[in-house]
Amino acid sequence: MNKKVAVILAGCGVYDGSEIYESVITLLRLDQRGAQVQCFAPNIPQLHVIDHYTGDEMAESRNVLVEAARLARGKIKDIREGRPEEFDALIIPGGFGAAKNLCDFAVSGANCTVQPDVLAFAQAFAQAGKPVGLICISPVMAAKIYGPGVLCTIGHDPETAQAVTGMGAQHEECEVSDIVVDVSRKLVTTPAYMLAQSISETATGINKLVDRVLDLA
């Protein structure tokens, strides 16, 4: 039977939403493996809007769900409509939006909180023992989802790793082409663009993550 996988997006674009390459690679691999996918996003304003050409902040407001719909070709739901019991696994791509819109790690660091709807949704998977994949910067939410002792990776950036351990997680260094698996919690993480220098490098680790998540489901 095909696995049903929920994917949480955080907007559209590396600097203020979900990282587009990471999101597309994730969705592509899930499709290649025959998974049924439903994308979700919180129906909230973005922290801010970044001009991806200049890198400057723009004087406008955008909605996370509306922007994420671009990545999902419109096939997306408000995360408050999601029913975790209907899915076998959850995956959250990275991008600054994961640290700005899904949680406030970009602002608060180790003192961050996860957006309530996202936290409740992800914790439902954790509590049910269903596999979860966190990509790139998304593993900074691991300790908030699972509690102290959870094993994860963001690659080998010392400052971010220190913040992750400060929240109570165990951090394991990892190359871009590999994954780290917390076997008891069924959590799979990979560095992706925390380390990647190309889209092909990113794909190597994400494909491994998707495959392992599906195998654990």
Side-chain angles (χ1 to χ4, degrees):
M1 184 173 66
N2 291 343
K3 301 299 182 182
K4 296 184 67 176
V5 181
V7 175
I8 299 178
L9 299 176
C12 182
V14 58
Y15 298 125
D16 57 11
S18 287
E19 212 292 322
I20 293 173
Y21 290 173
E22 291 178 1
S23 302
V24 172
I25 291 166
T26 298
L27 296 172
L28 174 61
R29 188 60 174 176
L30 286 168
D31 186 66
Q32 289 173 334
R33 288 292 307 270
Q36 299 179 45
V37 178
Q38 177 62 59
C39 292
F40 295 94
N43 188 7
I44 58 174
Q46 293 183 183
L47 174 66
H48 57 200
V49 179
I50 299 296
D51 181 330
H52 280 62
Y53 182 64
T54 66
D56 297 329
E57 185 172 347
M58 302 173 68
E60 62 178 87
S61 176
R62 297 188 187 181
N63 179 280
V64 174
L65 176 60
V66 172
E67 293 302 300
R70 296 174 180 270
L71 276 172
R73 295 175 60 87
K75 296 179 181 179
I76 194 166
K77 293 182 179 180
D78 185 331
I79 197 167
R80 286 173 288 189
E81 299 176 17
R83 298 174 60 86
E85 64 271 19
E86 297 179 352
F87 295 91
D88 300 298
L90 168 68
I91 297 179
I92 307 179
F96 279 104
K100 293 177 177 180
N101 303 325
L102 304 186
C103 71
D104 62 355
F105 180 81
V107 175
S108 303
N111 296 316
C112 77
T113 58
V114 180
Q115 198 276 336
D117 298 322
V118 173
L119 181 62
F121 194 80
Q123 284 183 331
F125 284 84
Q127 292 163 3
K130 296 179 179 181
V132 174
L134 300 177
I135 297 168
C136 189
I137 194 64
S138 293
V140 299
M141 296 185 283
K144 302 297 182 179
I145 295 168
Y146 289 92
V150 63
L151 178 66
C152 63
T153 190
I154 49 81
H156 44 70
D157 177 71
E159 185 176 352
T160 307
Q162 184 177 12
V164 168
T165 57
M167 286 186 276
Q170 297 182 60
H171 181 265
E172 182 175 311
E173 291 195 355
C174 179
E175 296 304 318
V176 65
S177 59
D178 211 349
I179 57 176
V180 167
V181 183
D182 185 320
V183 177
S184 64
R185 295 174 177 84
K186 296 185 179 179
L187 173 65
V188 188
T189 53
T190 193
Y193 270 108
M194 291 295 292
L195 294 177
Q197 299 298 311
S198 68
I199 189 171
S200 58
E201 280 190 353
T202 303
T204 303
I206 291 178
N207 287 344
K208 286 183 180 179
L209 177 141
V210 171
D211 289 348
R212 183 63 64 87
V213 166
L214 292 175
D215 290 344
L216 290 170

